[in-house]
Amino acid sequence: MKNDLNSFEDIKVIRKMMEESTRFLSLSGLSGVFAGVVSIIGAYLVYLFILDNGAIEFSTYLSGLTDPNYPVSGWLLIVDALTVLGLAITFALVFSLRKARRDKKKFMTPISLRMLLNLSIPLFTGGVFVIALVLADQLLFIVPCLLIFYGLALVNAGKFTFSEIFYLGLLEIIIGLVALFVPEWGLIFWLAGFGVLHIIYGAAMYRRYER
Amino acid sequence: MKSIISNINKVFESRIRLGIMSVLMVNPEYDFNSFKETLDLTDGNLASHLKALEEKGMITTNKQFIGRKPNTSYSATETGKSEFSEHLKALENLIKDL
């Protein structure tokens, strides 16, 4: 009997070691929750100040930006989007560093670097693609493309971290693909993909792995 | 009874060696310091287990320099991989019979 219990423990050790040595497990669920909240606040500020509390349609605003006779500039939107992105990335790092320290794990490992590389390739491609969209005055398609490339990045990075990230990526891709066909609802899809999904996934992962 | 136990390999009886082999089954190469961290061991303890596994032909050592720092990494040999798989199967069979 004692031997059987030992074998059971042995197999647990084997699984744990195989997982810990191939996956980056310091990613914190709080990062997701925070990114979701900031995205929603960012979208709300757009609605409040740029869309004048809903008086202007998002698609009208975007098509206006490419019209030289339209009085509104796009700077506010760009600043808003970059601030959201910056805050989300910064706090993703802060929460994950904190988790790594708490678990007494190194943050920079060959695995975490591999994960970052796999994350950045689709993200960088998406970034260049979106710049091309801006130059071609195709502003309506920015949000759908951001969602799609972000989803691809997560699917790619998911192999090196919690498997939930892979599925989160799939959902982001699906939302992005749907958004491609109704691009005038971009703000709604932004809220769903970057806001709601992040909060749900982040909270679920926090409950599952960090409590 | 003997037939089930027969594949249980004495070399892998220690948890530490089990850990080392598990890591090397899923990573083509793994270095000393990463082992120390993943398995949470002291230098001496880890070194002696690595040496034992190497002597049994389960793993190989690759010494190289990264810049000026010496870096030792380890890989599982083909023998090591197949013997560990056998060991794993034996463990699973033991549990199945519970």
Side-chain angles (χ1 to χ4, degrees), chain A residues 124-202:
Chain A
F124 178 78
T125 314
V128 175
F129 193 88
V130 164
I131 290 174
L133 284 180
V134 172
L135 295 179
D137 287 347
Q138 298 298 323
L139 305 187
L140 267 183
F141 290 102
I142 294 178
V143 171
C145 290
L146 284 177
L147 284 164
I148 291 170
F149 281 103
Y150 178 61
L152 289 171
L154 291 185
V155 164
N156 216 21
K159 284 168 278 184
F160 304 102
T161 178
F162 298 102
S163 50
E164 281 88 345
I165 296 299
F166 174 84
Y167 294 103
L168 174 62
L170 281 187
L171 289 175
E172 301 281 4
I173 294 174
I174 292 170
I175 292 183
L177 287 176
V178 175
L180 267 184
F181 294 93
V182 270
E184 62 277 12
W185 293 357
L187 210 53
I188 305 289
F189 287 105
W190 169 284
L191 276 177
F194 290 120
V196 180
L197 268 188
H198 272 145
I199 294 177
I200 293 174
Y201 260 82

Side-chain angles (χ1 to χ4, degrees), chain B residues 9-61:
Chain B
N9 201 323
K10 278 269 182 214
V11 188
F12 303 131
E13 250 180 15
S14 119
R15 283 275 150 76
I16 296 171
R17 291 183 200 172
L18 215 55
I20 295 173
M21 288 309 291
S22 316
V23 170
L24 291 180
M25 289 296 277
V26 286
N27 291 282
E29 232 185 29
Y30 215 67
D31 69 78
F32 191 86
N33 287 329
S34 306
F35 265 127
K36 239 174 73 181
E37 189 161 340
T38 313
L39 300 168
D40 198 14
L41 292 172
T42 59
D43 281 20
N45 200 357
L46 175 59
S48 73
H49 283 288
L50 284 168
K51 197 162 170 236
L53 284 171
E54 193 183 2
E55 275 166 6
K56 298 276 180 197
M58 302 296 168
I59 63 174
T60 53
T61 310

Side-chain angles (χ1 to χ4, degrees), chain A residues 48-123:
Chain A
L48 213 58
F49 294 112
I50 298 180
L51 303 184
D52 199 10
N53 231 334
I56 309 168
E57 294 270 333
F58 186 54
S59 53
T60 316
Y61 166 72
L62 285 183
S63 51
L65 286 180
T66 55
D67 180 351
N69 302 318
Y70 194 72
V72 183
S73 93
W75 282 110
L76 212 54
L77 186 68
I78 294 175
V79 169
D80 182 274
L82 288 181
T83 312
V84 168
L85 183 70
L87 282 174
I89 293 177
T90 311
F91 278 85
L93 286 174
V94 167
F95 286 125
S96 298
L97 275 168
R98 214 183 53 171
K99 187 179 172 195
R101 202 179 323 133
R102 205 184 53 196
D103 299 344
K104 298 197 171 53
K105 292 262 155 56
K106 254 197 226 154
F107 187 75
M108 295 295 269
T109 62
I111 314 297
S112 63
L113 291 178
R114 217 181 301 163
M115 186 196 76
L116 281 180
L117 179 72
N118 277 272
L119 189 74
S120 0
I121 294 170
L123 276 188

Side-chain angles (χ1 to χ4, degrees), chain A residues 1 3-11 13-14 17-18 20-22 104-106 109-111 114, chain B residues 13 15 18-19 22-23 25-27 30-31 33-34 37-39 84 87-88 91-92 94-95 98:
Chain A
M1 191 59 200
N3 250 328
D4 298 338
L5 278 180
N6 265 334
S7 334
F8 202 71
E9 283 297 311
D10 281 356
I11 289 190
V13 170
I14 293 169
M17 286 302 140
M18 286 184 170
E20 282 192 4
S21 63
T22 46
K104 298 197 171 53
K105 292 262 155 56
K106 254 197 226 154
T109 62
I111 314 297
R114 217 181 301 163
Chain B
E13 250 180 15
R15 283 275 150 76
L18 215 55
S22 316
V23 170
M25 289 296 277
V26 286
N27 291 282
Y30 215 67
D31 69 78
N33 287 329
S34 306
E37 189 161 340
T38 313
L39 300 168
F84 189 73
H87 182 75
L88 244 176
L91 285 180
E92 277 167 357
L94 267 179
I95 287 170
L98 266 182

